[in-house]
Structures are given as C-alpha cells and as structure tokens.
Amino acid sequence: MAGKVLVTGGGGYIGSHCVVELIEAGYCPVVIDNFCNSVRGEGDVPESLRRIEKFLKTSIEFHELDLLDREGLENVFKKHSFIAVMHFAGLKAVGESVKKPLLYYQVNLTASMNLLQVMQTHGVHNLVFSSSATVYGDPQRLPIDEQHPVGSCTNPYGKTKFFIEEMITDQCKANKDWNAIALRYFNPIGAHISGLIGEDPQGIPNNLLPYVAQVAIGRREHLSVFGNDYDTPDGTGVRDYIHVVDLAKGHIAALKKLQDNCGCKVYNLGTGTGYSVLQMVKAMEKASGKKIACQVAPRRTGDVASCYADPRLAAEELRWKAEFGLERMCEDLWRWQSSNPTGFSG
C-alpha cells in the first residue's frame, strides 16, 4: 500500500513523529499545517520537518494550509493521488477548550467536515484519525477497553473528538468503500531518539511532561500539581503515558490495517499502566538529575482522577504493542529538552 499519504497537522508533535515513521516505512508523506501547534523554520517550513529532512536525508512536500480553507484543500487533492489520510490537525488543549468551547467546535468540527467532504469528492476513502481517550469521559471501569461507553466527555475538546468519530462512523456506514480507524490516544510523551524533534508547546505547556521538563531546564519556576485529593494512591491524577514513537508506529500499523478493507474501527493506543503526577515527577528527576519544585493547585475543570488503557485489541488486530517503558520515555524527553532548552526556536 506504499504511496502518498496526506498528513494534516504534520508539523506538530505527534504528526511530525508519524512523518518520520511513514518515511522509514516507505511511504511518501505530504504535509499540511497552519503553524497553530508548530514552529515556523527556514523557508516557511515547520522546523520539525526541516530537521527530519536533515537527519533522514530526504525532502518532504509541505503546504501551509488551514483545513478551514476548503478551496486550498481542494487544490492539494487535485495535485496528488493519495492512498490515505492521517488526520492530526486541530486544537488540543483541554483547559482552553473549557474556556473557549465555541472556538473548539468551530475549528475542530468544521475542519474535519471539510476534510471528509474533500476526501469523498476526490475518491480518497482511507483515513486514520487522531482521536483521544477523552471520548470515554470519567471512566466507569479501569482499565478502559474499546467497549467502554463514550460520549460523556468532561470537556469540549473531548466532545469534538467524539463528534468527529461519529461523523466518520456515519460516513463509513453510508459509503461501504470507506475504511477508517480512530486511534484513541492516552498521554503521549517522550521524543525521537535523535533529540532533534520533540514536543515544543507554544506558550505555557498544557500537558504535564513538557511543563515538568521546562521546570527541570530552568524555564519555569515550579510545577503546579492540579489537585492532590483524588481517589488515587498519592492523591494526584493517574494517566497512561505512551512514548510518542510507539504511538507513531501504531499509526503505521493502522495504515496497514486499512488494506484489509476493515470498515470503521477504533483502537486504544496506550501501555495499560497508569502513573500518577508525582510518580512522573520522580521519574523526570531521575532522568534529568534535577530537583523539580512542585506546588499544589486547585483541580482543573474537566480533569478525571484516573485513566489508563486496555490495549489488547490493538495487540490482537494491529499487531502493535508499546515497546518503551517509563524510564526510556523520560530519558528521551530529557535528551530533547536539554538539547533544545528553548525548543525549536533555540
């Protein structure tokens, strides 16, 4: 099935790591990105892609484009014959979505509808969608498998992921030649082993580990621990953290699964193990050799106490399993952060 794959949001953290895996698997990624979650480098190309071109000794076709620009998206599809689309583009901060729900609905839902409509027009019927474990809401049971109820999301970001999954499901039901896989991520961390690409949040990090890494490197004074009174072993939130390279390899496995004319499928991508905020802080202290200052803050609206995956279905049907443990995740994250103290702009 090797051929051209459109990667929306391919300049961002997860998208760029998937671009690496696509190239190494023999595919030809074509990337579109609007720099919402990526850093502009030389030649008006995301710095992440510029670095990938350098260490893989290749070239990557890039189009600066917002998926809300339907005409621009049409032009990209007219230029290429894509075998599939990997859809990462979208706003992604839980806290921001609570404060700006209409923005999240407008951007994430409209962008995805445009993409699905243009795919249909141009006969591209294979899709891998970047979904999220937030679609499960506050877990009714742990670990969470794919049969767990969805839709009772605790924040607008999660609702947009759920609504997009529903759009994709309905499209597949109405058009039997469509194949789509929604990958429900848990918490991606880490970085490429080269230390050349990694997560570089614009502004104050919304996710735990980038914030912890910035405290360790001296960019932030302390970590705010949002709540220490959850029903968890140490009172802090528990999450399933997965290495971003493992996650990217899961996308390649999903892309290959589309060859089976699989229809519409969903899979969890996680490790099956939950770690608390304080456990993650200790792991990063070990990886960095730095003491990380913490202060307890009130709980954030939309957060849940514990969330970790049952990843067995992905192992059975995608032949995929996370390989890297917590120590490796933190080591790779620290290599990226210490080599790039101010991110891509340094």
Side-chain angles (χ1 to χ4, degrees), residues 18 143 152 166 175 286 289 293 316 340:
C18 285
S152 297
E166 291 290 283
N175 299 273
K286 181 180 178 182
E316 293 168 5
N340 304 269

Side-chain angles (χ1 to χ4, degrees), residues 38-313:
S38 58
V39 174
R40 191 182 298 272
E42 294 177 13
D44 287 331
V45 171
E47 179 63 17
S48 57
L49 299 186
R50 192 189 69 79
R51 294 188 181 192
I52 292 168
E53 289 180 324
K54 188 173 181 179
F55 71 73
L56 290 185
K57 297 180 173 58
T58 189
S59 60
I60 300 167
E61 182 172 338
F62 171 72
H63 299 268
E64 182 176 352
L65 180 68
D66 193 312
L67 289 179
L68 299 181
D69 177 3
R70 173 73 177 265
E71 183 179 353
L73 187 59
E74 289 273 7
N75 290 336
V76 173
F77 273 80
K78 288 175 183 176
K79 185 179 178 182
H80 297 284
S81 294
F82 297 116
I83 61 165
V85 173
M86 284 189 177
H87 181 29
F88 300 96
L91 301 177
K92 60 173 188 157
V94 168
E96 182 184 54
S97 78
V98 174
K99 296 176 181 176
K100 301 177 180 179
L102 296 182
L103 176 65
Y104 271 67
Y105 293 133
Q106 178 192 17
V107 171
N108 291 1
L109 300 185
T110 306
S112 297
M113 282 192 285
N114 282 349
L115 178 63
L116 292 172
Q117 289 169 343
V118 173
M119 287 176 65
Q120 177 70 9
T121 298
H122 292 270
V124 181
H125 298 155
N126 292 310
L127 175 66
V128 178
F129 172 54
S130 163
S131 192
S132 167
T134 56
V135 301
Y136 294 119
D138 205 343
Q140 297 178 15
R141 61 178 184 269
L142 293 169
I144 300 171
D145 62 18
E146 290 82 355
Q147 301 306 312
H148 186 287
V150 294
S152 297
C153 310
T154 59
N155 55 75
Y157 163 74
K159 289 176 184 176
T160 66
K161 291 294 188 182
F162 170 66
F163 294 153
I164 295 166
E165 281 194 14
E166 291 290 283
M167 282 188 234
I168 293 168
T169 299
D170 289 341
Q171 178 66 4
C172 289
K173 286 178 180 177
N175 299 273
K176 300 303 181 184
D177 54 348
W178 272 67
N179 301 291
I181 294 177
L183 297 175
R184 293 172 178 166
Y185 308 165
F186 281 67
N187 293 74
I189 64 170
H192 191 266
I193 193 170
S194 66
L196 291 172
I197 60 171
E199 188 169 10
D200 183 17
Q202 303 307 292
I204 299 173
N206 291 296
N207 296 326
L208 173 65
L209 267 295
Y211 205 112
V212 171
Q214 289 188 11
V215 173
I217 204 70
R219 288 175 64 182
R220 310 279 171 190
E221 288 187 6
H222 66 269
L223 170 71
S224 294
V225 178
F226 295 106
N228 67 345
D229 57 352
Y230 286 106
D231 185 16
T232 62
D234 62 19
T236 63
V238 170
R239 298 290 182 271
D240 187 336
Y241 295 92
I242 177 174
H243 198 298
V244 67
V245 173
D246 278 333
L247 190 68
K249 290 179 178 178
H251 287 75
I252 304 303
L255 194 57
K256 292 177 179 177
K257 179 70 175 176
L258 295 176
Q259 297 178 76
D260 297 340
N261 294 319
C262 60
C264 194
K265 296 276 191 177
V266 297
Y267 297 100
N268 289 336
L269 293 188
T271 65
T273 301
Y275 294 99
S276 74
V277 172
L278 296 184
Q279 286 177 310
M280 297 305 294
V281 169
K282 288 179 182 177
M284 274 302 294
E285 287 180 333
K286 181 180 178 182
S288 66
K290 308 283 186 181
K291 180 65 178 176
I292 296 166
C294 298
Q295 290 185 6
V296 176
R299 293 185 183 189
R300 290 186 303 188
T301 302
D303 279 349
V304 300
S306 295
C307 184
Y308 53 93
D310 180 342
R312 288 179 294 178
L313 188 64

